[in-house]
Amino acid sequence: MESIHDVIELEKACFAYHWTEEQFRLGLERNAFHIFGVREEGRLVGYLAFSMIVDEMEILNLAVHPDFRRRGLARRLLAAVMDVCREKGMQSGFLDVKESNAPAISLYEDFGFQRNGRRKRYYPDTKEDALLYRYDFSGE
Ligand SMILES: CC(C)(COP(=O)(O)OP(=O)(O)OC[C@H]1O[C@@H](n2cnc3c(N)ncnc32)[C@H](O)[C@@H]1OP(=O)(O)O)[C@@H](O)C(=O)NCCC(=O)NCCS
């Protein structure tokens, strides 16, 4: 369980438009999502927030600190989360990603997420389209 404070600090380093402390606190209190983190020398440098509702998981956010990218940390986080989802009997996985976000798209496609839609002007900060992805656990 990561401290909300550490996650907020990391969010600020990674996103211009980031979740607030209140959003994290409420989500965690309601058990609406879970957070996996990765630390280097005690410092939180990456995290993945996801939900599991009945048999569907959704990746809500994934970020690695700019100084720690391209070292396989996001890959490690995503692999750990997918393992938990398998153990918990998830059938499908969902996520959305900005269409300009080539690093994240490459990562998700590498893990077997398949593009199944687009939402026009979905993101409030850039008004970019969202690409929608799905993962089929039952097809493994
Ligand atoms: C996307 C992000 C989490 C990747 O983190 P990371 O720890 O650097 O990723 P990894 O080192 O585990 O790389 C895993 C794979 O992602 C892809 N990838 C990561 N960075 C990439 C880049 N700059 N360009 C192209 N592909 C990239 C590659 O497929 C890579 O595999 P490879 O190293 O074998 O080629 C990181 O760039 C980030 O925090 N970005 C800002 C936040 C964000 O956009 N989050 C996603 C929201 S949906």
Side-chain angles (χ1 to χ4, degrees):
M1 171 67 195
E2 300 300 336
S3 95
I4 295 180
H5 177 75
D6 288 352
V7 176
I8 299 276
E9 284 305 303
L10 180 57
E11 276 270 298
K12 284 182 183 161
C14 296
F15 297 103
Y17 183 88
H18 50 81
W19 289 3
T20 64
E21 182 159 346
E22 185 69 359
Q23 284 171 309
F24 274 108
R25 201 176 52 73
L26 284 175
L28 290 169
E29 274 173 14
R30 290 176 187 154
N31 239 346
F33 54 76
H34 313 271
I35 292 181
F36 275 25
V38 57
R39 289 181 180 270
E40 291 279 335
E41 292 173 4
R43 173 183 172 201
L44 186 72
V45 295
Y47 88 95
L48 199 164
F50 65 106
S51 65
M52 291 188 287
I53 298 170
V54 191
D55 59 0
E56 294 184 348
M57 68 86 75
E58 183 176 359
I59 294 177
L60 303 171
N61 223 347
L62 166 65
V64 171
H65 191 283
D67 296 345
F68 293 85
R69 288 183 189 160
R70 290 321 295 260
R71 300 181 189 190
L73 295 183
R75 194 180 279 284
R76 210 200 293 172
L77 278 169
L78 188 53
V81 166
M82 297 301 274
D83 278 348
V84 166
C85 290
R86 277 180 202 105
E87 279 166 26
K88 299 280 181 193
M90 296 298 113
Q91 294 295 310
S92 307
F94 298 92
L95 63 85
D96 59 79
V97 58
K98 284 180 178 156
E99 69 174 336
S100 67
N101 194 346
I105 289 169
S106 160
L107 172 68
Y108 296 137
E109 289 187 350
D110 205 33
F111 267 73
F113 279 84
Q114 294 191 329
R115 198 173 135 184
N116 71 341
R118 168 187 292 269
R119 248 179 228 141
K120 286 274 176 209
R121 295 171 62 81
Y122 180 66
Y123 297 101
D125 52 348
T126 58
K127 308 280 187 279
E128 246 183 274
D129 288 4
L131 300 183
L132 309 180
Y133 278 83
R134 179 171 186 272
Y135 187 87
D136 183 8
F137 287 93
S138 59
E140 287 182 335

